[in-house]
């Protein structure tokens, strides 16, 4: 319950006097209204009963008779708790209080969703209860861990969503649109990955191919967040597509690192973040390509990392730039 507290300057401040909340979940309401899986509801209920049993047995303040009385109540429990950890937040905005109020009073009658683009700080520690259904996470009354509801998400992504003219080379996609399209493509990869883990390899491959058809690399270049796509194509044994995607990522990273390494020392430091990101891509791709035996592409990564090492040492560790490649060197 929110309390009012007088601050140092005499002003009233609303205070939440704890960092851990819990949401009481009626198992019958959850099963009937949330579109949830009954087996998982019962699993959560049984786990809560076990936790309560352990707490009772370890409570030294209770006599044996009191413990037995409390234990006898456990089979009749019909509700359990969702734990909400707010320990990483210093304050709650009105929108966050509104979300907590919705969860407390909705009784799972209507779904509550978070867009995939919402920052982690605004998710109120509910991520363990997120189920991915497309471009949004649905808050469920049991642990999902952010995994895909593959049947629902497949239907949404493959049959219902429309992607406009993102594949048209004559349509200009500015930076924000490119970022959003890259996020969409990453959602396809997450779906394909979960389908692969479920043994649905054909569906996994179909999802990846559809993603590259609707969000092609010709209009939305591959980057750091597409390494999972490359890895999955290799696992699906589509080596040609995997090599094509790898070549695009490596070429872009190699060219960017070479250009950044050619800058004058005073300008090079301003590119610290980008330089570090591109080297990280090359290092990750080196390990990935080694895993799948793609020696030629791997060597390109290793050569670029080696070439850029003096510049990297200068940017990150302030090592003298004297050992950096000169503009006259190839």
């Amino acid at each position: 319950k929110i309390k009012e507290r007088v601050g140092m300057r005499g002003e009233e401040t609303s205070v939440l006097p704890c960092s851990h909340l819990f949401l009481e979940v009626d198992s019958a309401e959850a099963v009937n209204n949330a579109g949830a899986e009954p087996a998982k509801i019962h699993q959560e209920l049984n786990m809560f009963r076990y936790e309560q049993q352990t707490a009772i047995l370890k409570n030294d303040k209770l006599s044996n008779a009191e413990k037995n009385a409390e234990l006898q109540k456990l089979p009749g429990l019909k509700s359990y708790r969702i734990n909400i950890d707010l320990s990483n937040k210093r304050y709650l905005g009105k929108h966050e209080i509104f979300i907590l109020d919705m969860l407390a009073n909705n009784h799972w009658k209507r779904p509550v969703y978070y867009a995939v683009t919402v920052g982690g700080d605004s998710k109120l520690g509910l991520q363990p209860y997120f189920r991915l259904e497309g471009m949004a996470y649905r808050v469920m009354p049991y642990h999902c861990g952010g995994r895909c509801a593959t049947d629902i998400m497949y239907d949404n992504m493959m049959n219902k969503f429309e992607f406009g003219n993102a594949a048209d080379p004559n349509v200009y996609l500015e930076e924000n649109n490119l970022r959003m399209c890259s996020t969409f493509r990453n959602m396809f990869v997450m779906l394909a990955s979960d389908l692969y883990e479920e043994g649905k390899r054909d569906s996994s491959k179909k999802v990846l191919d559809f993603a590259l058809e609707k969000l092609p690399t010709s209009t939305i270049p591959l980057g750091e967040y597409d390494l999972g796509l490359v890895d999955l194509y290799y696992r699906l044994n589509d080596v040609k597509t995997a090599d094509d995607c790898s070549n695009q990522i490596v070429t872009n990273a190699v060219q960017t690192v070479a250009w950044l390494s050619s800058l004058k020392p005073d300008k090079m430091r301003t590119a610290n973040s980008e330089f570090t990101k591109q080297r990280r891509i090359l290092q990750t791709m080196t390990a990935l390509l080694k895993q799948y035996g793609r020696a030629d592409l791997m060597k390109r990564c290793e050569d670029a990392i080696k070439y850029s090492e003096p510049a990297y040492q200068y940017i990150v560790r302030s090592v003298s730039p004297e050992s950096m490649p000169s503009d006259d060197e190839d």
Side-chain angles (χ1 to χ4, degrees):
K1 186 175 181 179
I2 296 176
K3 298 181 178 180
E4 298 298 325
R5 179 179 297 175
V6 179
M8 295 179 62
R9 298 180 181 178
E11 75 280 9
E12 286 192 352
T13 303
S14 299
V15 176
L16 193 65
C18 61
S19 59
H20 289 79
L21 308 177
F22 67 84
L23 174 65
E24 195 84 18
V25 178
D26 184 296
S27 59
E29 288 182 345
V31 168
N32 292 332
N33 299 320
E37 299 176 45
K40 292 187 177 181
I41 296 290
H42 295 309
Q43 183 180 1
E44 292 282 343
L45 183 58
N46 289 333
M47 180 60 68
F48 182 70
R49 286 170 177 163
Y50 175 76
E51 291 171 353
Q52 294 300 301
Q53 174 183 309
T54 303
I56 291 169
L57 293 174
K58 288 184 176 180
N59 190 343
D60 295 332
K61 296 180 180 180
L62 297 177
S63 66
N64 288 336
E66 290 172 327
K67 288 181 180 179
N68 288 331
E70 292 298 319
L71 290 172
Q72 289 176 10
K73 298 177 184 177
L74 294 182
L77 278 180
K78 300 300 182 184
S79 63
Y80 59 92
R81 295 174 179 177
I82 284 179
N83 294 308
I84 302 175
D85 184 0
L86 301 175
S87 56
N88 66 332
K89 297 185 69 66
R90 297 184 61 187
Y91 62 89
L92 292 177
K94 289 184 178 180
H95 63 295
E96 293 167 319
I97 296 173
F98 177 69
I99 291 169
L100 291 173
D101 184 69
M102 276 200 306
L103 291 172
N105 295 289
N106 183 43
H107 301 291
W108 307 102
K109 292 180 180 178
R110 300 181 66 179
V112 176
Y113 286 92
Y114 276 84
V116 296
T117 51
V118 172
D121 187 57
S122 298
K123 292 175 180 174
L124 298 174
L126 292 166
Q127 291 93 321
Y129 305 97
F130 279 0
R131 184 174 77 181
L132 186 60
E133 296 186 357
M135 299 310 300
Y137 290 105
R138 181 174 176 177
V139 183
M140 300 302 294
Y142 51 77
H143 284 80
C144 296
R147 288 184 63 84
C148 306
T150 52
D151 291 344
I152 297 172
M153 188 169 177
Y154 186 93
D155 186 40
N156 285 335
M157 301 289 284
M158 302 289 283
N159 301 319
K160 294 181 178 179
F161 291 176
E162 297 182 4
F163 297 90
N165 295 315
D168 187 344
N170 296 315
V171 173
Y172 173 67
L173 298 175
E174 48 81 44
E175 184 178 353
N176 289 322
N177 284 326
L178 283 176
R179 258 200 315 270
M180 185 61 70
C181 288
S182 181
T183 298
F184 292 162
R185 194 162 58 199
N186 190 43
M187 294 302 104
F188 276 110
V189 174
M190 292 178 68
L191 172 60
S193 180
D194 277 6
L195 287 168
Y196 181 90
E197 295 300 325
E198 292 176 2
K200 301 174 182 177
R201 296 170 64 93
D202 290 343
S203 295
S204 178
K205 175 73 162 52
K206 190 180 294 186
V207 167
L208 291 184
D209 291 344
F210 186 79
L212 291 184
E213 174 192 339
K214 296 297 183 180
L215 304 166
T217 61
S218 58
T219 58
I220 304 145
L222 296 170
E224 183 177 19
Y225 299 110
D226 295 296
L227 304 186
L229 179 143
V230 173
D231 178 51
L232 197 48
Y233 264 123
Y234 277 128
R235 283 193 280 160
L236 290 165
N237 205 33
D238 186 346
V239 178
K240 182 182 183 303
T241 304
D243 279 350
D244 288 345
C245 292
S246 294
N247 184 59
Q248 291 181 49
I249 294 173
V250 170
T251 297
N252 181 66
V254 167
Q255 291 176 348
T256 304
V257 164
W259 176 71
L260 292 172
S261 299
S262 71
L263 296 176
K264 294 181 179 180
D266 60 327
K267 292 184 173 59
M268 196 180 292
R269 282 191 178 280
T270 64
N272 185 348
S273 176
E274 182 66 20
F275 196 93
T276 302
K277 183 182 84 171
Q278 295 299 329
R279 275 178 56 97
R280 183 171 61 246
I281 291 173
L282 290 170
Q283 290 164 343
T284 305
M285 284 300 297
T286 298
L288 182 64
L289 294 166
K290 181 179 181 180
Q291 178 182 347
Y292 295 106
R294 316 311 292 166
D296 291 343
L297 283 168
M298 184 181 73
K299 187 175 186 305
R300 288 180 62 197
C301 293
E302 292 175 334
D303 289 346
I305 293 171
K306 183 178 179 181
Y307 173 83
S308 63
E309 182 64 22
Y312 176 74
Q313 294 295 332
Y314 172 66
I315 291 175
V316 176
R317 301 182 182 178
S318 299
V319 175
S320 172
E322 294 176 359
S323 59
M324 291 194 300
S326 68
D327 293 339
D328 297 330
E329 294 181 11
D330 294 329

